[in-house]
Amino acid sequence: MKHQHFDVETAGFYGAYWACAGGSDCAVIAMIGDDPEDRLARSAVKWLCGRGVNVLTMSPAKKDYGHHNYPLERVETAVSWLKANGNHKTGIAGASTTGTLALTAAAMFPDVTLTIAMTPSDFVWQGFMQGKRDGCKEWPVEGESLFSYRGKPLPYMPFCYQHPDYWHCVAAESKRTGDMVNSRKLFDDSEVMHPIEPEEYIPVENIRGKLLLIGAEDDALWDTAKYIRRMEKRLAEKPHECEIETMVYAHGTHFVFPEGMLKIMLPVGSGLFVKLAFQAAKKYSKECSQTRKDIEKRMNRTLAEWKGAK
């Protein structure tokens, strides 16, 4: 697939632009995958381009698996570039940590008129890095937030476990539950120890256009269903201009991708991979599959309506 690559040094953001073959004046910033040109990113591109939109994939840096003080002005610069290059509408989509990033960026930059957040949190948390350190695969970064803006870290919820206890907690829970990764205790315990301050919540009431929140009750990484319901309550209590649609399922795990996108990511054995990754998917495989099919149908509708809206 032909695309245009961007580096922070020359363009102000790290990403890749993929023009829709049929032509489009709408673009979605897709933050799916750990690199803008890896397999997951290309799968998202193929799926989104098939819905008639251009795609700009983004990530923190080349093969960077962590998120700590990610400069949100990179998204701001990317939105401006899309606008200057024939895109009259800009949307943003993310999953997991980047689902939270999508919400945060959309709340800050009013030119974003479609926000798709899969398994997001409703607050900003402490930044983290991944790799190898003292036998740990991931660790929190002291004094850093997930995101920053103009050189300042955004207010964040600190984790109650720091290095190396942070990873020991995740590893122990993953072993106990049989999941590929299970960090739910880490998040639940942290919120008990540090009740979230008002400034740490994402001001979702500032989001414009369509807001799509997607998650499942059986998410093993964090309680995204609770977070989504808190966002619903926040919007019910505050003036806002966005049109919210929530999709919270009993079963779906952390992989609440549209079924077609997951099959592009894993052409053979996509369902088997999810079963191996999460025990809930093994126990409720049919229900998880139905969840992804419903997400596909509703996301297709949302994209079509957004593209067609005046």
Side-chain angles (χ1 to χ4, degrees), residues 67-291:
H67 286 79
H68 53 101
N69 279 0
Y70 176 78
L72 290 172
E73 52 266 40
R74 292 187 187 178
V75 178
E76 187 176 32
T77 301
V79 170
S80 296
W81 185 90
L82 288 170
K83 195 173 181 180
N85 284 270
N87 292 286
H88 297 154
K89 292 183 180 179
T90 298
I92 194 166
S96 194
T97 307
T98 59
T100 303
L101 172 52
L103 288 177
T104 307
M108 294 182 68
F109 310 129
D111 283 333
V112 175
T113 58
L114 170 66
T115 306
I116 299 173
M118 294 170 271
T119 64
S121 66
D122 62 332
F123 58 96
V124 177
W125 15 291
Q126 185 175 357
F128 65 91
M129 293 184 68
Q130 289 186 343
K132 293 182 180 179
R133 182 186 177 192
D134 304 324
C136 301
K137 296 180 181 179
E138 185 174 300
W139 57 93
V141 182
E142 187 176 349
E144 293 195 15
S145 171
L146 281 180
F147 320 122
S148 67
Y149 188 60
R150 296 180 178 173
K152 293 184 178 181
L154 268 60
Y156 63 90
M157 180 203 74
F159 290 114
C160 64
Y161 304 114
Q162 295 298 305
H163 180 72
D165 295 335
Y166 171 104
W167 180 252
H168 292 166
C169 173
V170 174
E173 282 299 291
S174 301
K175 183 178 180 180
R176 181 184 68 81
T177 60
D179 294 319
M180 176 180 67
V181 59
N182 191 311
S183 54
R184 192 149 168 161
K185 176 176 170 58
L186 170 71
F187 279 83
D188 289 347
D189 287 356
S190 295
E191 191 171 339
V192 170
M193 294 296 292
H194 178 92
I196 301 167
E197 300 290 346
E199 64 272 17
E200 294 161 7
Y201 283 107
I202 300 166
V204 291
E205 65 274 12
N206 294 339
I207 294 176
R208 308 291 182 91
K210 181 74 175 187
L211 171 58
L212 195 57
L213 301 172
I214 308 170
E217 298 278 3
D218 59 3
D219 193 323
L221 274 76
W222 47 74
D223 196 349
T224 194
K226 178 177 76 173
Y227 304 157
I228 289 173
R229 292 191 182 102
R230 283 199 307 221
M231 284 187 274
E232 282 187 299
K233 184 175 183 293
R234 183 182 181 99
L235 288 172
E237 296 171 349
K238 291 180 178 290
H240 63 277
E241 295 183 14
C242 65
E243 178 193 349
I244 183 176
E245 181 177 352
T246 58
M247 299 158 60
V248 177
Y249 300 90
H251 306 290
T253 75
H254 199 64
F255 290 161
V256 288
F257 295 112
E259 180 76 348
M261 186 185 293
L262 187 64
K263 286 187 174 179
I264 295 171
M265 292 174 180
L266 299 163
V268 179
S270 58
L272 177 61
F273 172 77
V274 180
K275 288 180 192 177
L276 293 173
F278 297 110
Q279 289 300 308
K282 186 175 182 180
K283 190 174 181 180
Y284 298 101
S285 59
K286 290 182 180 178
E287 290 86 347
C288 288
S289 176
Q290 188 55 49
T291 288

Side-chain angles (χ1 to χ4, degrees), residues 42-61:
R42 287 173 179 265
S43 299
V45 168
K46 188 172 182 180
W47 190 87
L48 285 164
C49 282
R51 274 74 194 160
V53 298
N54 303 317
V55 184
L56 177 65
T57 52
M58 293 180 66
S59 76

